[in-house]
Amino acid sequence: MWGGRFSRGPAGIMEEINASIDIDKRLWREDIAGSKAHAAMLADAGILSADDATAIIGGLDQIAGEIERGEFAFSAALEDIHMNIEARLKDIIGEPAGRLHTARSRNDQVATDFRLWVRSACEDMETALNGLMRALAQKAETHADAVMPGFTHLQIAQPITFGHHLLAYVEMFARDADRFADARRRLNDCPLGAAALAGTSFPIDRNATAKALGFDRPSANSLDAVSSRDFAIEALSAAAITATHLSRLAEEIVTWTSPLFGFVRLSDAFSTGSSIMPQKRNPDAAELVRAKTGRIVAALNNLLIVMKGLPLAYSKDMQEDKAATFEGVDALALSLAAMTGMISDLEPDRARMLDAAGQSYSTATDLADWLVRVPGIPFRDAHHITGAIVALAENKHLALDELPLADMQGVEPRITQDVFGVLSATSSANSRTSYGGAAPVNVKTQASRWLNQLNKES
Amino acid sequence: MWGGRFSRGPAGIMEEINASIDIDKRLWREDIAGSKAHAAMLADAGILSADDATAIIGGLDQIAGEIERGEFAFSAALEDIHMNIEARLKDIIGEPAGRLHTARSRNDQVATDFRLWVRSACEDMETALNGLMRALAQKAETHADAVMPGFTHLQIAQPITFGHHLLAYVEMFARDADRFADARRRLNDCPLGAAALAGTSFPIDRNATAKALGFDRPSANSLDAVSSRDFAIEALSAAAITATHLSRLAEEIVTWTSPLFGFVRLSDAFSTGSSIMPQKRNPDAAELVRAKTGRIVAALNNLLIVMKGLPLAYSKDMQEDKAATFEGVDALALSLAAMTGMISDLEPDRARMLDAAGQSYSTATDLADWLVRVPGIPFRDAHHITGAIVALAENKHLALDELPLADMQGVEPRITQDVFGVLSATSSANSRTSYGGAAPVNVKTQASRWLNQLNKES
Amino acid sequence: MWGGRFSRGPAGIMEEINASIDIDKRLWREDIAGSKAHAAMLADAGILSADDATAIIGGLDQIAGEIERGEFAFSAALEDIHMNIEARLKDIIGEPAGRLHTARSRNDQVATDFRLWVRSACEDMETALNGLMRALAQKAETHADAVMPGFTHLQIAQPITFGHHLLAYVEMFARDADRFADARRRLNDCPLGAAALAGTSFPIDRNATAKALGFDRPSANSLDAVSSRDFAIEALSAAAITATHLSRLAEEIVTWTSPLFGFVRLSDAFSTGSSIMPQKRNPDAAELVRAKTGRIVAALNNLLIVMKGLPLAYSKDMQEDKAATFEGVDALALSLAAMTGMISDLEPDRARMLDAAGQSYSTATDLADWLVRVPGIPFRDAHHITGAIVALAENKHLALDELPLADMQGVEPRITQDVFGVLSATSSANSRTSYGGAAPVNVKTQASRWLNQLNKES
Amino acid sequence: MWGGRFSRGPAGIMEEINASIDIDKRLWREDIAGSKAHAAMLADAGILSADDATAIIGGLDQIAGEIERGEFAFSAALEDIHMNIEARLKDIIGEPAGRLHTARSRNDQVATDFRLWVRSACEDMETALNGLMRALAQKAETHADAVMPGFTHLQIAQPITFGHHLLAYVEMFARDADRFADARRRLNDCPLGAAALAGTSFPIDRNATAKALGFDRPSANSLDAVSSRDFAIEALSAAAITATHLSRLAEEIVTWTSPLFGFVRLSDAFSTGSSIMPQKRNPDAAELVRAKTGRIVAALNNLLIVMKGLPLAYSKDMQEDKAATFEGVDALALSLAAMTGMISDLEPDRARMLDAAGQSYSTATDLADWLVRVPGIPFRDAHHITGAIVALAENKHLALDELPLADMQGVEPRITQDVFGVLSATSSANSRTSYGGAAPVNVKTQASRWLNQLNKES
């Protein structure tokens, strides 16, 4: 395959470690698109005859059909997708096939193919994120006024609303989608024509190939074009950050479906059972989404390690870029789909949520704020007074709004009957009307804003 | 510190693991700026009296002076920078200090402080990257026509130019700077006013504090505002990618300064010696820059792992965000400074580079391209023919341009004397005039374009 | 410092990136011990005069005292702990100080120092793990018969005992301690005498220095001795695995102290409060232990990345080994201490645990097993029958042991009154007497076995 | 599949994310072995009739044959290997198949299967490492006296021998093999009989199943048995450390085969060519081995992240353990095989190595040592004097042994003609006879010791 200088073929183990066809055959569409653009440009530039170009493009289209229909026989001896396709082209059209590789190398070819693939992946992740955001925003709109406990440290902190909680994730996923958009924009330079590493002396038109393949421009430095994989690492970074967001929501679904919380229920379609315990309903999909974080972060870590310390230009180490990227993107795509399904599927138990929202002195802050607002006590003192009242109520095994006024006044005489208006979970949640706050009225506005925006985009 | 509910102080080990003041005291400027903006807004909104606000702001300014002058006594018992400052404020101004924490929590306070810090860090990294790019572009302009071997797989591949090689890194670092700019833009929402997690019932003006602190807008969801750290992870992702680029350049400096390459020389100022071997000149700074990749990638990995699976809203796990981010940013800042110094310092040995550029049949591709261009042989066949000629020359221990024409014609009769015009390293490098190619003329254009742009930015 | 070949001092940034004294001064004890052993050996081998050795050893002892008492002035210009001590030695004893570095290099010196430090760290981690195991086993013995729900997927699965749950962690931590013991054993070769990389022509006695420093033997290959850091990576691997175990226990403490579980209570000494919410009791230490996993795994990742692709022998990259290792070991030591404190401190709420253990049809498996054992139904069928009975009970909002016998018989006629003997949580837990099972009788035996063994070791 | 409680089947996406059969079908041998041992034990314990056990074991043997011959139809709807095999068993033997799952769960079943697989993997890695060590030791024995430059910081440091360099890796790989042996020993407890998480009330004999499957003992705690995956993480740690060692050797092969070093040559069987540059001979296998470090470290990182923060007992997250472990082990196995092939294949160019060993004042340390040994100058002063002599020689463009004695004496009058006996590369290498030093005589002894030991083991 490498021509006249070699007298012996590769060792078996050499072929095994070297062949990438099992991984990179996934790039066949991109490889054929790149070759067609290259051939057309060569013809326009007078480097290739029009007949040869026509033969090549026709042959490539035929190959595309063969692969699409599953009729193509991939060969490990031909190493990779590029050589597999070129060899088949030679079978089909003969001599002109040998002219296609003029003024290019596998180095710029694979860089182009892979960039096209990552570009599509970024677009797909944005679409999938938008789908998940829509599912969250719809559920948030439906349950804008479902009061639930807000937690910090998994301790009940203050009453919030279920809709508000879901919209927090919409914000996160929106930034994730934005990161994929930035990655897509930044990678959209075309390496084709960088050849092996130095460019070429043929009078090629790199703007033409860049345009034909939807790139914004040809890359400005041939060494960079064939040596850099930051575009894939950036996409994996966006994926890893998204994965941590998904893992948090997944953790919450696992917690919420635990019978000791009982906040939400997944339908049978998203629950699994046990081989031994007949009563079990397990949130397996949520756990798997949480676990995929490991895989996706590892894919990022993998490619960063691969690239560490590599001299320019191309080193074979870079062949590992594709497995890592495919694994990370596949795992994220699956996680996003599963999470979208779960969010659409889950139903909150509003009564249990509301009940829990009133536990654990969750409105103590409201009491402290009342002390600031009404008798004008400094917050730090109000905080201390409230702590003492909570301790008293706890000793008496009473909730805050069950504690007699006299008891409160024993701690702080300025407290009046009026305070009971701020001590219920619902009044507390309703009062959080500051911008970005958890009040139902805010949630409705934000959910509706998101749904409008998402519907415009789709 | 946490008011009336607790009857016993923390265990010693509890205080040790819990206190963050050694780490987060670095946020003192941001903390004071945030508190001043909050106090001013509270006064404008009528929540705080003008006198109290004046006292608070004056007290905070005094504290800033004390910290600046190294007179401030930090206390681990007060846990963190927020409590240290608030306690000192109480010492100075008394009762009004207790009113500052109205309508906010440490959760939104620290999220604001840390965002401000990461925002500055992104700006600093952009500036540092621009400085490195300028050093590279200047060196590239000076050595635009210094012919050197281009490598793939650390094998001599084709002649390129030293300037072209350096400009490849300018492209990489430009994308890195762009990533920091994107991270900065995306993080610029103000969490202040999200309070603990739910927003507040006080009539605060979040737009005012956002504006006062240079944010583009207040964050739209209070849970997201206090729970998310993707802004720090994104900055660390940009840092990790930059670190891989630096590690590659560092590896090349190590290789190039090895006497078996001898391509560049670092001055004494950037070389170190050995405690045992008196002759040694070691490129320690390059090796340390390469090694810092480990630290920076680990910082990213650290924070991704910390955030995995955390339920909303704030969990104490997030306190680990600062150590990881500071370590990653510090290591990158040091690496960028050291690399900028080395690049400015290093001098290429142009004669050795040119000599090496002609070794190992580096112009074999030029021969193959000649066979395509002149007699019109398909590239695949030209490649094979050239391979056979290289094998012949190798057997005779001759360079390509030393091999008699007759020998070449023995392999391929259509070769003529004209071929010798493409077989020297210099002619090869000069011929790479396709856009993005290694030819000196391209390098000059690109270096000058970059220098213009960088000078405009600075 | 590097002698006569250099004409200019280092650039400021060079000194800043190069100096390691802030990190490696922590190795002062090991460095002095190594130098004393080296000097004594040189004297015994006739390479150094007895008087010089006496002067050197006396000077080193004096330096040890100075450092111990905080009187030693460390200098960044002297780069590292080795040069700081040697320079001070020269101040104290003059000319003989210059003879100490005979037949050694900083390369073998630092490898020896660091190995000694990691050896101590392995021992300390074993001790700390044993302390944690003892706390767990004691608590397990006390609560051997406290019935609690066993969870899978955070769903209630089967009744178990609190003691059994705690002993599961004793098993994990025992393996962790064993890993540190293996790491300690494997690292115990002495690099001293490997010199820069090649050994030496001086007639040194490496067995003598190895023995004096408590090593099992001198390392067998000088290149390996100065180039390898697998001993530190192995210790960090053991630390990372331990950290995942700690993170799981920490997660459980966070969940168990959540009011919706309410299984355990931490005292005020291990709880923290909120700056805004007066009622909060947060399990901060558990969250910080969970978060430290990020730091410890990152330290491992860091050092693996640093070592990737380094040629033999010493490269300056390896200087990063110490920061990574110190950080990982420190974080683990702190986490182990905090967890030991929390375990000793926490008190289970046995009534709530028992109540929860009976929820969610937790004894469904006992019913299925009864169907296998008494009427001899194949388990798969028994599982299916039990599922149907659970569905029936759920529709009627009844617990399994509240469902009338007639209803059960409607699903499976062979069920008799006898079945009610296996349907309570306590009977279920008591029945798990298979080896390794959760029954109180097993827990008592295992806890007592562990306590005996741990008391023997301490 | 999960019996009577579910009314609807899983969603498509649920099935896709949940099914593990594509990954875990690789455990079929272990699964069948485990089930046979379990069935035999159940019969011995009187829980299963002898006829049923015979039918089950016969059925399982038949299934093993079907899988072996590629006749088994795996089904994603049946989720995993366990359910696939049990379902097929039911097809073959009918009702008794339903009795196999008595007193066990998929949780202990998969823990057992996977432990068996990891045990084999540890054994395989040890074997592969021994093979690589043998190849290295043989090559070292052959080239025990081939003088080459030893490097630090990729600068020529001191002359060593090629054999000594290769034996450094034997030491590393020996420790790696030892780590796999420790991991194997530590994991060899049998989870079978832990059932879902709590053990069982059936009178099972766990010692019998443990023994039948080659385990040392049954695991002592049922929760630990089904919840822990530290055995896989430990194996991946050993793999990751091995990978860093391989990456270093791979980096050296890449450097050594670069024409500017030219130290070794790989045969055509281990070289690859270029699609564009006909002269290229690339060390692709070495680069791929180096790159696999990323994949293997990432696999370790992956599983550590997956396990972080999981509550006991089994969570579905753990299903990700197998993909990560398989990927890490497969990549290591391939890397070890490729490296063994390359080491056996490569031939050093002894003349080039010797020539390089004399460059760059590589014997300066020998001169300094001579100054210590003969005129008795303190090493620090000798180091300084030598530095000055090197600077002088460098200015005169002379090697050390070319510098006239008078010039040396101009720097240090006590130098005599005798010094020239220590200034050649060969004499320097020969002089490193301290234990572990690079002298040929040492290398022969060590290589022969290793070969004897390795031959005994195989």
Side-chain angles (χ1 to χ4, degrees), chain B residues 1-2 4-11 13-14 16-19 79 83 101 103-107 109 195-197 251 265 267-299 301-303 305-306 309-311 314-320 323-324 327 333-335 337-339 341 345, chain C residues 1-2 4-11 13-14 16-19 79 83 101 103-107 109 195-197 251 265 267-299 301-303 305-306 309-311 314-320 323-324 327 333-335 337-339 341 345:
Chain B
M1 187 168 73
W2 312 307
R5 196 189 179 201
F6 283 75
S7 52
R8 263 179 67 201
I13 183 68
M14 180 67 211
E16 192 181 341
I17 199 171
N18 201 41
E79 272 195 23
M83 286 311 197
H101 212 58
R104 79 170 186 192
S105 163
R106 279 192 294 183
N107 292 349
Q109 191 179 357
L197 74 156
E251 169 99 1
R265 185 180 169 93
S267 76
D268 284 4
F270 276 93
S271 299
T272 55
S274 155
S275 73
I276 179 170
M277 297 169 289
Q279 86 285 6
K280 291 298 294 298
R281 292 177 62 84
N282 297 325
D284 281 28
E287 293 173 286
L288 287 163
V289 168
R290 182 173 62 187
K292 295 288 183 195
T293 317
R295 187 160 197 74
I296 297 166
V297 171
N301 200 27
N302 184 350
L303 196 46
I305 295 173
V306 166
L310 292 189
Y314 186 79
S315 294
K316 188 72 167 206
D317 310 60
M318 291 181 199
Q319 181 166 293
E320 292 288 309
E327 286 164 11
L334 188 56
S335 297
M339 184 56 86
D345 185 73
Chain C
M1 188 169 75
W2 313 305
R5 197 189 180 198
F6 284 75
S7 53
R8 262 180 65 201
I13 184 66
M14 179 67 209
E16 190 181 342
I17 199 172
N18 202 39
E79 272 195 22
M83 286 311 199
H101 213 57
R104 79 170 185 190
S105 164
R106 279 192 294 184
N107 292 349
Q109 191 179 355
L197 74 157
E251 168 99 1
R265 184 180 169 94
S267 76
D268 284 4
F270 276 94
S271 299
T272 55
S274 155
S275 72
I276 178 169
M277 296 169 287
Q279 87 285 10
K280 291 295 297 295
R281 292 176 63 83
N282 297 326
D284 282 29
E287 294 173 287
L288 288 163
V289 167
R290 182 172 62 185
K292 295 287 182 194
T293 315
R295 188 159 196 75
I296 299 167
V297 171
N301 200 27
N302 184 348
L303 195 46
I305 295 173
V306 166
L310 293 189
Y314 185 81
S315 294
K316 189 70 167 203
D317 310 60
M318 291 181 203
Q319 181 166 294
E320 293 287 310
E327 286 165 10
L334 188 56
S335 298
M339 185 56 85
D345 185 72

Side-chain angles (χ1 to χ4, degrees), chain C residues 368-370 372-373 379 431 433-434, chain D residues 42 47 102-103 200-204:
Chain C
D369 284 351
W370 185 91
V372 170
R373 208 162 36 228
F379 182 78
S431 77
T433 54
S434 57
Chain D
L42 288 179
I47 302 165
T102 309
T200 180
S201 58
F202 286 101
I204 59 174

Side-chain angles (χ1 to χ4, degrees), chain A residues 59-80:
Chain A
L60 289 167
D61 283 336
Q62 178 176 335
I63 293 168
E66 292 173 1
I67 300 178
E68 189 107 58
R69 294 187 301 273
E71 298 164 11
F72 192 92
F74 292 101
S75 153
L78 290 166
E79 272 194 22
D80 57 25

Side-chain angles (χ1 to χ4, degrees), chain C residues 62-404:
Chain C
Q62 179 178 334
I63 293 168
E66 292 172 2
I67 300 178
E68 188 107 60
R69 293 187 301 273
E71 299 164 10
F72 191 93
F74 293 100
S75 153
L78 289 165
E79 272 195 22
D80 58 25
I81 186 65
H82 323 297
M83 286 311 199
N84 269 272
I85 287 175
E86 192 181 320
R88 175 73 186 125
L89 186 65
K90 183 141 200 197
D91 291 346
I92 299 175
I93 67 165
E95 197 247 39
R99 298 187 186 275
L100 171 58
H101 213 57
T102 310
R104 79 170 185 190
S105 164
R106 279 192 294 184
N107 292 349
D108 56 334
Q109 191 179 355
V110 70
T112 304
D113 293 2
F114 190 37
R115 235 171 238 253
L116 286 170
W117 192 92
V118 174
R119 192 175 72 187
S120 289
C122 288
E123 292 163 0
D124 292 347
M125 295 305 104
E126 275 189 79
T127 304
L129 280 161
N130 283 343
L132 174 54
M133 288 160 69
R134 196 176 300 113
L136 286 160
Q138 281 163 347
K139 196 67 74 176
E141 192 169 53
T142 307
H143 298 289
D145 60 352
V147 175
M148 73 179 282
F151 292 86
T152 58
H153 313 263
L154 213 61
Q155 298 291 315
I156 294 175
Q158 295 180 348
I160 58 167
T161 49
F162 188 53
H164 191 61
H165 198 114
L166 296 179
L167 287 181
Y169 285 103
V170 175
E171 297 287 330
M172 294 176 218
F173 293 129
R175 289 192 299 273
D176 293 334
D178 205 34
R179 275 181 201 104
F180 279 109
D182 280 351
R184 190 216 177 279
R185 172 179 53 74
R186 201 173 350 262
L187 68 72
N188 209 25
D189 293 351
C190 184
L192 206 58
L197 74 157
T200 180
S201 58
F202 286 101
I204 58 173
D205 180 355
R206 295 190 59 207
N207 285 298
T209 41
K211 195 176 164 193
L213 295 167
F215 286 107
D216 295 331
R217 70 194 73 75
S219 48
N221 184 292
S222 58
L223 287 166
D224 174 49
V226 299
S227 306
S228 294
R229 292 296 184 268
D230 50 336
F231 64 91
I233 305 179
E234 181 175 356
L236 287 174
S237 297
I241 297 174
T242 307
T244 62
H245 291 152
L246 284 167
S247 78
R248 303 181 73 175
L249 183 48
E251 168 99 1
E252 301 208 288
I253 292 175
V254 172
T255 309
W256 291 342
T257 55
S258 176
L260 292 166
F261 274 68
F263 284 4
V264 304
R265 184 180 169 94
L266 290 166
S267 76
D268 284 4
F270 276 94
S271 299
T272 55
S274 155
S275 72
I276 178 169
M277 296 169 287
Q279 87 285 10
K280 291 295 297 295
R281 292 176 63 83
N282 297 326
D284 282 29
E287 294 173 287
L288 288 163
V289 167
R290 182 172 62 185
K292 295 287 182 194
T293 315
R295 188 159 196 75
I296 299 167
V297 171
L300 168 61
N301 200 27
N302 184 348
L303 195 46
L304 285 163
I305 295 173
V306 166
M307 297 305 295
K308 181 221 166 188
L310 293 189
L312 303 190
Y314 185 81
S315 294
K316 189 70 167 203
D317 310 60
M318 291 181 203
Q319 181 166 294
E320 293 287 310
D321 57 356
K322 281 169 287 297
T325 306
F326 293 166
E327 286 165 10
V329 169
D330 288 350
L332 184 63
L334 188 56
S335 298
L336 286 168
M339 185 56 85
T340 305
M342 276 187 285
I343 291 297
S344 303
D345 185 72
L346 66 76
E347 282 308 317
D349 185 332
R350 297 173 57 129
R352 281 196 75 138
M353 282 183 170
L354 179 60
D355 179 62
Q359 292 177 19
S360 290
Y361 308 96
S362 66
T363 56
T365 311
D366 299 87
L367 169 54
D369 284 351
W370 185 91
L371 291 168
V372 170
R373 208 162 36 228
V374 181
I377 297 170
F379 182 78
R380 271 285 162 258
D381 302 330
H383 182 279
H384 198 88
I385 292 162
T386 306
I389 293 172
V390 166
L392 180 64
E394 203 173 25
N395 283 337
K396 298 199 166 191
H397 303 289
L398 295 173
L400 261 192
D401 54 1
E402 295 164 351
L403 191 70

Side-chain angles (χ1 to χ4, degrees), chain B residues 170-186:
Chain B
V170 176
E171 297 287 333
M172 294 177 220
F173 293 128
R175 290 192 299 273
D176 293 332
D178 205 33
R179 277 182 201 101
F180 279 109
D182 281 349
R184 190 215 176 280
R185 171 178 51 74
R186 199 172 352 260

